[in-house]
Amino acid sequence: MKYISLIILCLTSLCAMANSGLPNHRHIVVHGAGQIITKPDMAKITFEVSSVQDDALAAKKEVDKRVNALLNGLDKFNVNDDNVSASSLLTEPHVNYTDEGLEVIAGYVATRTLKVTLSELAQMNEFIDFALSVGINEIEDIKLLSIHSSTLKNQATTLAVEDAKTKGAALANAFGANLGKIYSINSSNSSSRYGYSAYSNVERIEVTGSKIDADELAPGRYLQATINFSASITVVFDLEVE
């Protein structure tokens, strides 16, 4: 029984190796990583505007008024129609609850979401002040972007490839071997993330000030931001031994 168990174990190991996608000769698996850090040059800001009124039509009209006021001021910030998108208008009953847990309709709320891409990052603070001044209820998100994102992602991938080659050659030489031909390459994983050096939770600003005080929105709080473009790749090389 022991011999049979050993044979089954060996066969199982061989099957696992066959299904692993790795060669059955000498090889090395190397993971490479690359990273590019740059400053953003544009921002995509998501706004939400809502209004509660006695009836749905009045709520809709109030939201339309605020949205139009925002759109009419976009020329000052060099924002054209291609850089603005808006969701459909949503209206629904505004429900309150009594102490007994019963629903009471207290008017109607209309809501709309707007996304604006600002190409001049230096104007972001002024633009946010303007949006709040025309009655925008909430700034839901601020995403810092780069117009060169495609190029920077490719550069990060190139660094990941070079990193894999360097690591592979160093490891092979350390064991008295040479790096051979490439056996396989996985698809490169790439990502990007942005951050602020301080107040990194600024991406959601409520007009009520419950999350961020007005004093903390002074100009300069949005500066010193970075975008991190990263890529990773896994390569299988043949190993050549003299």
Side-chain angles (χ1 to χ4, degrees), residues 130-198:
F130 164 70
L132 297 176
S133 72
V134 298
I136 300 302
N137 301 78
E138 192 171 302
I139 300 172
E140 289 192 331
D141 186 53
I142 299 174
K143 288 186 177 178
L144 302 181
L145 308 170
S146 173
I147 195 173
H148 306 294
S149 59
S150 297
T151 299
L152 295 171
K153 287 179 181 178
N154 290 336
Q155 290 179 3
T157 300
T158 299
L159 290 177
V161 171
E162 294 301 322
D163 185 47
K165 290 179 180 179
T166 301
K167 288 178 179 176
L171 288 171
N173 292 334
F175 287 94
N178 295 316
L179 206 61
K181 295 181 179 180
I182 295 175
Y183 177 81
S184 66
I185 307 173
N186 81 328
S187 57
S188 176
N189 296 321
S190 60
S191 63
S192 60
R193 60 183 177 85
Y194 63 94
Y196 294 92
S197 60

Side-chain angles (χ1 to χ4, degrees), residues 44-240:
K44 178 175 286 188
I45 308 173
T46 302
F47 301 101
E48 182 177 282
V49 56
S50 62
S51 176
V52 179
Q53 303 292 333
D54 292 336
D55 59 77
L57 180 59
K60 173 188 178 299
K61 288 183 177 179
E62 179 62 24
V63 168
D64 287 341
K65 176 184 175 181
R66 297 179 190 180
V67 169
N68 290 336
L70 178 69
L71 297 178
N72 290 336
L74 292 181
D75 289 343
K76 177 182 176 181
F77 302 94
N78 298 320
V79 176
N80 55 41
D81 294 341
D82 293 336
N83 292 324
V84 182
S85 62
S87 68
S88 300
L89 184 71
L90 174 66
T91 59
E92 58 185 349
H94 181 62
V95 179
N96 289 332
Y97 293 88
T98 65
D99 295 338
E100 293 77 22
L102 299 177
E103 292 185 357
V104 177
I105 296 179
Y108 291 82
V109 57
T111 307
R112 199 173 188 188
T113 300
L114 298 169
K115 293 185 178 181
V116 179
T117 300
L118 195 65
S119 59
E120 297 183 22
L121 201 58
Q123 292 184 320
M124 185 166 68
N125 191 73
E126 182 183 355
F127 182 60
I128 289 175
D129 288 346
F130 164 70
L132 297 176
S133 72
V134 298
I136 300 302
N137 301 78
E138 192 171 302
I139 300 172
E140 289 192 331
D141 186 53
I142 299 174
K143 288 186 177 178
L144 302 181
L145 308 170
S146 173
I147 195 173
H148 306 294
S149 59
S150 297
T151 299
L152 295 171
K153 287 179 181 178
N154 290 336
Q155 290 179 3
T157 300
T158 299
L159 290 177
V161 171
E162 294 301 322
D163 185 47
K165 290 179 180 179
T166 301
K167 288 178 179 176
L171 288 171
N173 292 334
F175 287 94
N178 295 316
L179 206 61
K181 295 181 179 180
I182 295 175
Y183 177 81
S184 66
I185 307 173
N186 81 328
S187 57
S188 176
N189 296 321
S190 60
S191 63
S192 60
R193 60 183 177 85
Y194 63 94
Y196 294 92
S197 60
Y199 300 99
S200 59
N201 62 344
V202 76
E203 62 268 13
R204 188 175 179 88
I205 304 170
E206 296 185 7
V207 179
T208 59
S210 59
K211 186 167 185 180
I212 295 179
D213 294 333
D215 292 341
E216 293 180 345
L217 296 178
R221 294 297 185 186
Y222 305 106
L223 300 180
Q224 299 179 357
T226 59
I227 308 178
N228 187 327
F229 294 91
S230 60
S232 62
I233 189 170
T234 302
V235 188
V236 180
F237 292 99
D238 293 337
L239 280 178
E240 299 176 350

